[in-house]
Amino acid sequence: MTGNPSANGHTPVPPAPAERMHLVVAGHVDHGKSTIVGRLLADTHSLPDGKLEQIRALCARTSRPFEYAFLLDALKDERAQGITIDSARVFFKSPVRQYIIIDAPGHVEFLKNMISGAARAEAAFLVIDAQEGIRENSRRHGYLLGMLGIRQVAVLVNKMDLVAYDQLAFERIVREYRDFLRDVDVIPAAFVPVSGSGGDNIVAAPSAMPWYAGPTALEVLDSFQPQRSAADEPFRMPVQDVYKFTAGGDARRIVAGTVESGTLHVGDEVVFQPSGKRTRVRTIEAFNLAPQRAVSAGSATGFTLEQQVYVARGQVATRSAEREPCVGTRLAVSLFWLGKRPLLTGRPYILKLGAARVSAQLEELHRVIDAATLEVAESRDRVERHEVADGVLRLAAPIAYDNIDEFAATSRFVLLDDYEIAGGGIIRAPAGQPTADQRPPTPSLFVISALEESDCRATAEALETTLRGREVPAYLLGTRGEVGHLAAVAQYLADAGANVVLSAPRLLRQDVHQLEAALGSDRVTAFWIGPDTAIGEPGGIRVASTDPASAAREIHAHLEDR
Ligand code: GTP
Ligand code: MG
């Protein structure tokens, strides 16, 4: 099963792709990105039959001028009824290959698209309005392309009709933008004067600019090389899920995910990182298909193992005897910040890379760069919105990753602040081992129990607040019973590097043992609030105070003593 985001009948489903390339279209707001994409679709005859006429008729009926950008909206609306996708993704084909276009409406979308493995951009158009000239986002997007390692770039100087197709106006922009891009490691393959609405130099050459003898936008695209085939690279599959077969008492597990790169065969030895656990592949399962012998980059798949080793979401499946990923907790990174609140050193965020999510903080901030002016600031303690920074991230638990120079797909990450994407970046290298006192503490499970649920809950909340106030990332979980189920959730959070405060009324000694068996006894500490009862032997260290705030203080003092 390979994901095909347009397979719902309306948008033309391309034939089995001989070759595909992801193209991202970037540039300042209103400079004509969507118009150019609409043109590319129309002029390569990649639109569904009648679509163009339908939109023209609709515009005429509603007395609106026709816009090529409407085509995209129309396609998006149709698709939205079928499947949910997070960005505008459309297909078109040239005689050379098939393209998947990512039309990035804003910074966050742009970053998401650039960083999610499924839509790894190999080429980019940077669109500039000839009349407005270079704006902040023209520069920022150029900077991001350089940082993310997108090397095949064409600059389209758009709306040439608005400057009377003037060669000098075009050349002024070329000079200025080329200098900026050189400073951020982007060497465009071409600068093309175009008009998105008129169609000049998009697919066909115009008569309006006889002074221009270079390639059209499409010709530049077709001249790009597909990057090294992902199927030949080392095998990487971020583990999305581990499913149990439920039928007939079958004890097997399926390890599921999408193959980022490389190829996996039945019988191969797989190594899960960061755990380093290894075993062989028994079968490769495919959704609605017969079992397969091998699976390659781009496919969503699942495989079963010869031996049951511990595998969890967020790990990366690799093949032994191939280049290993790095594993570690300290990363030298370059990142781009979009958050409304500044990125602060020492504050906890969530880092997402592949399927892994882990608590992370910016431990060292080496320099901060304004992505539009390229001004550099040193000795800062924060990164403001739209700034770029180099520094060191420290993770609460190890992850598997690659360095940007070796392998872009598994070196790009995003940072979440309060559940929202607030930044992203690339890993340049491991950042050396921390000294013992810098090493992140092993995440722990703190269980708060009492006779009454309300007492547990109040104390657990007070403890969570106390811990967070001391910059210890902690999450609150509650249960009314059923400890076994919670052990799995707590394990998951602890793997992600988070401390967990569990509110669990009437916890017995055997429940505590069960949690210790799941997480390791050194990681579980249970506290019992208030008086004893006849419910059996309660688990945990006795806490004398029953007032939540003072109980939390007592617990915290106890933890600090350890
Ligand atoms: P956002 O998605 O909002 O960032 O904008 P965009 O970059 O996708 O721009 P869009 O394609 O929506 O075009 C913005 C406006 O510029 C529209 O009104 C277009 O009709 C107009 N436009 C686009 N290309 C041309 C062109 O070549 N010439 C002229 N005159 N107008 C153009
Ligand atoms: Mg647009």
Side-chain angles (χ1 to χ4, degrees):
M1 187 186 78
T2 39
N4 184 338
S6 79
N8 77 337
H10 288 294
T11 355
V13 177
E19 192 185 299
R20 290 179 154 195
M21 186 179 275
H22 278 95
L23 167 71
V24 67
V25 182
H28 200 75
V29 61
D30 265 1
H31 280 198
K33 302 176 292 292
S34 303
T35 304
I36 288 171
V37 174
R39 257 296 169 184
L40 274 168
L41 295 178
D43 292 0
T44 56
H45 311 290
S46 302
L47 289 167
D49 280 345
K51 189 89 243 164
L52 195 58
E53 294 69 25
Q54 188 190 330
I55 305 289
R56 281 192 194 283
L58 183 70
C59 288
R61 267 207 310 284
T62 53
S63 324
R64 281 188 300 175
F66 169 79
E67 289 265 357
Y68 276 91
F70 293 162
L71 279 169
L72 281 186
D73 295 337
L75 294 173
K76 251 186 275 183
D77 288 347
E78 271 173 18
R79 257 183 324 206
Q81 296 161 14
I83 36 174
T84 319
I85 50 171
D86 59 352
S87 60
R89 255 189 270 184
V90 286
F91 295 88
F92 76 95
K93 52 189 180 308
S94 75
V96 174
R97 62 170 75 90
Q98 184 199 328
Y99 293 93
I100 301 166
I101 304 192
I102 309 154
D103 176 36
H107 286 307
V108 173
E109 285 300 314
F110 181 71
L111 252 187
K112 270 201 264 180
N113 285 323
M114 303 293 281
I115 284 167
S116 76
R120 208 176 348 154
E122 291 166 274
F125 279 160
L126 278 168
V127 176
I128 303 229
D129 182 324
Q131 195 175 42
E132 258 194 40
I134 297 158
R135 300 291 305 271
E136 305 88 296
N137 286 346
S138 323
R139 294 165 179 269
R140 288 186 187 123
H141 287 177
Y143 194 109
L144 276 177
L145 293 178
M147 180 169 111
L148 296 171
I150 313 288
R151 296 277 170 254
Q152 309 196 93
V153 176
V155 175
L156 307 186
V157 180
N158 187 34
K159 308 196 190 180
M160 284 302 293
D161 53 300
L162 295 184
V163 295
Y165 303 100
D166 179 29
Q167 182 175 4
L168 292 180
F170 170 70
E171 283 170 355
R172 247 194 325 272
I173 289 178
V174 171
R175 268 196 306 278
E176 186 184 342
Y177 204 34
R178 179 183 279 139
D179 289 347
F180 174 84
L181 291 175
R182 191 185 303 120
D183 291 343
V184 299
D185 276 347
V186 175
I187 311 288
F191 287 80
V192 187
V194 304
S195 166
S197 48
D200 310 64
N201 277 334
I202 303 290
V203 173
S207 52
M209 290 177 272
W211 47 267
Y212 178 77
T216 66
L218 185 64
E219 284 165 351
V220 183
L221 264 190
D222 281 347
S223 75
F224 286 152
Q225 295 303 308
Q227 273 161 16
R228 194 153 43 108
S229 157
D232 303 334
E233 292 177 330
F235 175 70
R236 298 282 188 267
M237 189 191 90
V239 175
Q240 284 291 348
D241 251 312
V242 181
Y243 298 105
K244 291 178 196 177
F245 276 96
T246 43
D250 195 330
R252 283 181 300 159
R253 303 266 189 286
I254 291 194
V255 181
T258 297
V259 181
E260 277 287 353
S261 64
T263 303
L264 183 73
H265 310 86
V266 170
D268 281 349
E269 187 177 44
V270 280
V271 187
F272 293 95
Q273 297 291 10
S275 72
K277 295 267 167 54
R278 55 182 70 214
T279 179
R280 289 191 181 279
V281 175
R282 188 155 84 176
T283 59
I284 296 176
E285 310 284 330
F287 190 61
N288 279 341
L289 290 176
Q292 299 175 323
R293 300 295 309 162
V295 65
S296 291
S299 298
T301 187
F303 52 86
T304 62
L305 305 172
E306 290 285 351
Q307 280 164 9
Q308 287 322 318
V309 294
Y310 172 71
V311 184
R313 179 184 162 87
Q315 293 182 341
V316 178
T318 68
R319 265 176 74 194
S320 66
E322 285 185 335
R323 196 184 68 232
E324 292 177 9
C326 304
V327 170
T329 55
R330 273 169 56 87
L331 316 172
V333 301
S334 294
L335 57 83
F336 189 78
W337 192 247
L338 302 166
K340 293 185 197 78
R341 303 190 288 187
L343 167 66
L344 300 178
T345 50
R347 193 175 181 280
Y349 299 91
I350 300 286
L351 174 138
K352 268 176 61 172
L353 189 154
R357 274 169 162 263
V358 58
S359 172
Q361 46 181 281
L362 186 60
E363 186 172 78
E364 294 171 23
L365 184 51
H366 300 153
R367 50 180 208 149
V368 176
I369 305 139
D370 180 319
T373 64
L374 303 187
E375 253 167 66
V376 176
E378 270 151 38
S379 48
R380 288 256 298 266
D381 66 346
R382 62 185 53 207
V383 185
E384 303 285 349
R385 187 174 208 189
H386 293 150
E387 286 179 333
V388 179
D390 292 338
V392 172
L393 282 178
R394 191 180 81 188
L395 313 182
I399 58 160
Y401 63 93
D402 289 280
N403 297 331
I404 184 82
D405 294 335
E406 289 176 340
F407 202 13
T410 38
S411 68
R412 296 172 182 163
F413 61 85
V414 294
L415 286 174
L416 308 187
D417 184 14
D418 247 356
Y419 309 104
E420 279 185 28
I421 292 185
I426 51 148
I427 302 174
R428 296 205 176 275
Q433 281 316 302
T435 55
D437 59 345
Q438 290 176 315
R439 206 162 288 146
T442 319
S444 300
L445 172 65
F446 308 114
V447 190
I448 312 295
S449 195
L451 203 52
E452 295 301 329
E453 191 195 344
S454 53
D455 292 341
C456 301
R457 185 87 201 173
T459 306
E461 278 168 6
L463 180 62
E464 185 202 24
T465 309
T466 306
L467 290 173
R468 289 193 167 224
R470 286 169 175 73
E471 305 273 312
V472 180
Y475 294 89
L476 186 66
L477 284 180
T479 178
R480 296 203 164 87
E482 205 16 280
V483 168
H485 172 66
L486 266 147
V489 181
Q491 169 99 52
Y492 177 75
L493 285 167
D495 281 350
N499 295 296
V500 178
V501 181
L502 174 62
S503 153
R506 292 162 219 254
L507 199 74
L508 302 183
R509 188 143 302 270
Q510 68 254 32
D511 298 325
V512 177
H513 289 323
Q514 197 181 341
L515 288 168
E516 286 175 348
L519 276 93
S521 56
D522 55 330
R523 291 169 74 177
V524 179
T525 317
F527 298 91
W528 179 272
I529 320 287
D532 241 11
T533 64
I535 58 167
E537 193 188 355
I541 297 160
R542 299 308 172 95
V543 177
S545 332
T546 46
D547 163 63
S550 43
R553 270 197 301 277
E554 203 179 320
I555 291 168
H556 188 257
H558 174 89
L559 294 174
E560 283 202 319
D561 282 351
R562 281 197 317 175

